[in-house]
Amino acid sequence: MTSSPIVLGFDTSLAHCGAAVFSGGDVVAAKYEDMTKGQAERLIPMIAETLQEAGLSKRDVTAIGVGIGPGNFTGIRISVSAARSMALALGIPAIGVSLLEALAEGSNAPVLASIDARRDHVYLQRFADGANRGPELVAFTDIGADWAVPGLICQGNRANDLGNRLKCSAGPTQYAPASAIARIAARRAGTNQPRPAPLYLRPADAAPARDKGPVILS
């Protein structure tokens, strides 16, 4: 008999920093802050605060769920680097979860998850039984009816625009990113998962910064 996993989830893929703890079948603590910069400095303190709120320490965590993008290049590197370092230090698995998956988490209907990729492009992924598609980087003007399926709900930060374009519903996500990531990672805990790696759907505009990510304190 295996015990229920205790999963620490976090994400800095976009202009935010978030952390959540999943334990006993539900998220028991979570924090989220909008920010355009400073995620590298904020992430580790936020993780510590979230664990403290849950009444846990890092040593209690049995798995890590981390957002791998798509999104901001620097933000993705920060969280993936932190997850790899922490998993190695604690001797536990790290599980990568795409932000598009996180956006669709908790919905029973077909979902078209979207993230603004700037320059009038979007990252898209459709989650529908027997009709999954993506993830893809798509020019907004190229999005056509082939992305629509019956009962589709658009979710994400271009949801209303997509709903108007495809003549379908748009709605809010069920969970904040880190909470969704923790939930998804908890379902995958105990299975063979690849090492988390950034999900980049477009080339960087310039050479990646040589940031080392946040320092993981033992």
Side-chain angles (χ1 to χ4, degrees):
M1 180 177 176
T2 58
S3 59
S4 175
I6 297 175
V7 179
L8 169 65
F10 52 85
D11 181 64
T12 57
S13 296
L14 297 176
H16 64 242
C17 186
V21 175
F22 181 96
S23 177
D26 203 355
V27 170
V28 296
K31 291 186 179 295
Y32 175 94
E33 295 177 13
D34 288 315
M35 55 177 62
T36 57
K37 59 183 179 179
Q39 288 95 331
E41 293 77 19
R42 182 66 182 120
L43 178 60
I44 300 308
M46 179 179 283
I47 287 172
E49 292 162 12
T50 308
L51 285 168
Q52 182 178 32
E53 182 179 315
L56 299 168
S57 73
K58 285 188 293 184
R59 295 294 172 184
D60 296 313
V61 176
T62 59
I64 293 169
V66 60
I68 59 172
N72 177 276
F73 285 88
T74 300
I76 295 168
R77 288 196 301 273
I78 288 167
S79 52
V80 170
S81 173
R84 288 179 176 179
S85 299
M86 188 176 293
L88 181 63
L90 297 175
I92 59 176
I95 300 165
V97 178
S98 94
L99 189 54
L100 291 162
E101 290 179 275
L103 292 173
E105 175 66 8
S107 177
N108 294 320
V111 170
L112 181 60
S114 67
I115 297 170
D116 190 350
R118 297 177 299 172
R119 300 176 184 170
D120 208 31
H121 281 66
V122 289
Y123 300 117
L124 289 181
Q125 188 165 3
R126 186 174 65 205
F127 300 88
D129 188 22
N132 290 339
R133 178 177 175 181
E136 299 178 27
L137 173 65
V138 186
F140 192 82
T141 53
D142 290 341
I143 298 170
D146 56 319
W147 278 98
V149 294
L152 187 70
I153 297 175
C154 298
Q155 295 183 175
N157 57 14
R158 292 296 298 270
N160 290 331
D161 294 336
L162 285 167
N164 291 334
R165 185 172 183 85
L166 298 177
K167 296 179 173 56
C168 62
S169 299
T173 58
Q174 298 296 309
Y175 305 107
S179 295
I181 288 164
R183 291 173 181 277
I184 295 168
R187 292 200 299 270
R188 296 177 181 172
T191 64
N192 187 22
Q193 296 290 318
R195 186 185 187 205
L199 176 61
Y200 296 142
L201 295 181
R202 76 185 315 165
D205 296 328
R210 296 185 179 182
D211 58 306
K212 296 181 180 179
V215 175
I216 309 299
L217 301 177
S218 60

